[in-house]
Amino acid sequence: MALENLDELRAVSKKFCFDGELIDAQLNSQGHINDSYAVIIRNSSGKTCRYMLQRINHNVFKNPEKLMDNIKRVLTHIRKRILADGGDPMREVLTIIRTKDGGCYYKSPEGYYWRAYIYLEDATTYQIVEKPEHLYSAGMAFGKFQQQLSDFPACELYETIPDFHNTVKRFEKFEQVLKEDKLDRAKNAADEVAFVLERKEDASRLINLRNAGELPLRVTHNDTKFNNVMIDIRTGKAMCVIDLDTVMPGLSLYDFGDAIRSGTNPASEDEKDLTKVKMDIDLYEYFTRGFLEAGASFLTPNEIENMPFAAKLMTFEVGMRFLTDYLEGDVYFKTHREGHNLDRARTQLKMVRDMEMKMEKMLEIVHKHFPER
Ligand code: GN1
Ligand code: MG
């Protein structure tokens, strides 16, 4: 790590109740939004310990104070549930490290917001599924997460990103950015633009059902990427759900759909060779089985029946968001190469096309694993 970064991290780390001095740090470059570092702290007797130190992207999350208040409440709630079930809260849920003045975050003089968690050792995240059983276990973890929050007073949660999964508004934003086409980039993405425009009607389907009271509002995670599950490297089981910035009231279908989007693609989210990109139906079955096992007691028939469509819609949403960001000049997602957001959009839209062809089979799998009640 470059020395000036290390100096900055050292200064920030002094604000937290870490037991010792920062001696090293590693950047975790996987997230598209926040900056995350694994920091190594050495105490006075020479023992080292790791923490996760994160700088919150306050361009995306406009109110980090309220966001951290959400996370604190949610974690406290989950911790109680784990204790009541005889689980291990040090491994099954994130633990916030307080600042020396007792807060949940530190605001630097430059206006950056920082937070810290205990580093979960002997656990890892994967960008791509290496063992299908991991995906089954991730399905159970996200189902269980909703279960643990089923008695949480949703109205107490602040909406960290308003209309996050409002696909109608996402579509309108896409249309507006396309119309302006400020950077004259639409010509590079004509096929992708046409593909999105053809699916306008899809954007309103779940919102309409929700407005009609046909789908229940729950406390959901809303960013159920496969890499947001820590897998215990000793057991191969999902241990803990991370990245809680978007925990808000939502539909269980958003969590299911986004997880299928990210977990069933055997290639990377930004793979340029689209022949490698698909929605792998076997992987779909692994996740679906886990999610349904965990959610069997609370999912409603409307939720069950819309699962395949939700997978397609969430993939469509993210594809559209990447495409919007590409047209707008890469202002939201971090990019690491030219055309990065366009490459990402292409993988997502390829997945959408593939899911459209597999809808029937996807529904069959849902029915196969949903136990009779
Ligand atoms: C972002 O932060 P990260 O990388 O887990 C994004 C998600 C997208 C995802 C696409 C707050 O998630 O909504 O689905 O990228 N998070 C936010 O990979 O916008
Ligand atoms: Mg993440």
Side-chain angles (χ1 to χ4, degrees):
M1 165 138 316
L3 211 56
E4 65 272 24
N5 284 357
L6 212 52
D7 284 343
E8 186 190 1
L9 290 177
R10 190 169 287 120
V12 170
S13 75
K14 286 193 186 355
K15 305 293 175 184
F16 288 88
C17 295
F18 294 151
D19 179 22
E21 296 274 313
L22 183 145
I23 55 164
D24 203 1
Q26 278 147 357
L27 173 70
N28 173 336
S29 56
Q30 299 304 338
H32 295 339
I33 309 292
N34 297 319
D35 299 318
S36 303
Y37 302 88
V39 296
I40 303 177
I41 303 287
R42 187 167 53 203
N43 73 11
S44 50
S45 45
K47 204 170 154 257
T48 59
C49 175
R50 284 199 283 186
Y51 295 93
M52 183 56 80
L53 190 60
Q54 291 183 314
R55 184 165 66 176
I56 302 170
N57 181 334
H58 61 263
N59 192 23
V60 166
F61 298 107
K62 307 289 183 205
N63 194 328
E65 288 98 343
K66 285 194 180 160
L67 177 146
M68 286 311 293
D69 189 55
N70 269 6
I71 294 185
K72 183 181 76 184
R73 282 159 188 260
V74 164
L75 291 179
T76 307
H77 188 90
I78 296 180
R79 181 171 300 273
K80 278 192 200 138
R81 293 283 296 257
I82 293 172
L83 282 170
D85 292 345
D88 176 2
M90 293 312 281
R91 286 189 71 73
E92 292 171 34
V93 66
L94 289 175
T95 304
I96 295 176
I97 301 289
R98 298 277 175 158
T99 60
K100 286 186 177 150
D101 51 17
C104 290
Y105 64 89
Y106 161 65
K107 186 176 178 191
S108 74
E110 300 80 24
Y112 293 122
Y113 291 80
W114 294 85
R115 67 173 167 220
Y117 293 115
I118 285 183
Y119 193 95
L120 297 165
E121 298 291 350
D122 299 319
T124 189
T125 58
Y126 296 93
Q127 304 313 309
I128 295 179
V129 174
E130 289 179 10
K131 293 195 177 140
E133 295 76 26
H134 290 167
L135 199 55
Y136 162 72
S137 192
M140 293 207 60
F142 281 124
K144 185 170 162 195
F145 183 80
Q146 281 185 17
Q147 230 281 318
Q148 286 168 327
L149 292 171
S150 56
D151 55 345
F152 185 94
C155 58
E156 284 181 13
L157 286 178
Y158 153 77
E159 223 181 329
T160 55
I161 302 182
D163 293 316
F164 190 58
H165 285 309
N166 185 330
T167 36
V168 172
K169 292 211 171 149
R170 295 278 187 197
F171 197 93
E172 285 166 5
K173 169 85 194 276
F174 168 74
E175 284 182 312
Q176 173 220 323
V177 168
L178 174 66
K179 203 165 127 208
E180 288 170 12
D181 193 19
K182 278 192 209 138
L183 299 167
D184 197 24
R185 284 184 170 184
K187 63 178 189 310
N188 308 333
D191 290 348
E192 292 73 20
V193 165
F195 185 93
V196 170
L197 291 175
E198 275 163 27
R199 284 159 181 78
K200 182 169 187 164
E201 275 185 19
D202 286 339
S204 53
R205 178 157 148 191
L206 293 187
I207 306 255
N208 287 346
L209 283 172
R210 189 183 78 188
N211 291 342
E214 310 238 355
L215 290 170
L217 208 59
R218 305 183 184 281
V219 177
T220 47
H221 183 284
N222 297 306
D223 185 9
T224 51
K225 259 168 119 163
F226 181 58
N227 72 5
N228 280 335
V229 183
M230 300 292 301
I231 308 281
D232 188 321
I233 55 177
R234 294 167 304 191
T235 63
K237 297 236 160 68
M239 194 172 95
C240 173
V241 167
I242 60 170
D243 203 346
L244 306 176
D245 298 325
T246 51
V247 176
M248 293 181 277
L251 301 182
S252 71
L253 288 169
Y254 297 154
D255 281 4
F256 174 77
D258 196 50
I260 294 300
R261 170 193 82 77
S262 93
T264 64
N265 175 10
S268 303
E269 193 178 65
D270 58 359
E271 175 60 58
K272 276 171 165 291
D273 178 357
L274 291 181
T275 62
K276 295 184 181 157
V277 176
K278 63 173 180 173
M279 196 286 296
D280 184 297
I281 198 78
D282 295 327
L283 291 177
Y284 171 87
E285 183 156 8
Y286 274 95
F287 186 89
T288 304
R289 186 160 57 86
F291 191 77
L292 285 173
E293 274 178 29
S297 61
F298 63 87
L299 291 170
T300 67
N302 273 342
E303 287 176 312
I304 302 291
E305 294 307 308
N306 281 290
M307 282 165 69
F309 175 76
K312 175 187 146 175
L313 183 65
M314 288 295 100
T315 312
F316 180 63
E317 179 193 296
V318 175
M320 187 163 62
R321 288 175 64 197
F322 284 144
L323 192 55
T324 305
D325 202 32
Y326 170 71
L327 297 176
E328 227 182 350
D330 311 310
V331 293
Y332 185 91
F333 295 104
K334 288 185 201 171
T335 51
H336 307 292
R337 61 179 190 240
E338 204 174 311
H340 206 167
N341 273 318
L342 180 56
D343 292 339
R344 290 170 175 152
R346 287 185 169 139
T347 63
Q348 301 307 294
L349 300 180
K350 166 91 193 275
M351 297 272 294
V352 170
R353 193 184 288 282
D354 198 27
M355 287 186 206
E356 284 176 347
M357 291 187 297
K358 296 176 177 164
M359 270 298 135
E360 254 175 59
K361 180 78 190 147
M362 287 163 79
L363 190 59
E364 235 175 71
I365 291 173
V366 168
H367 289 156
K368 176 172 153 198
H369 294 290
F370 188 65
E372 293 290 329
R373 283 195 287 214

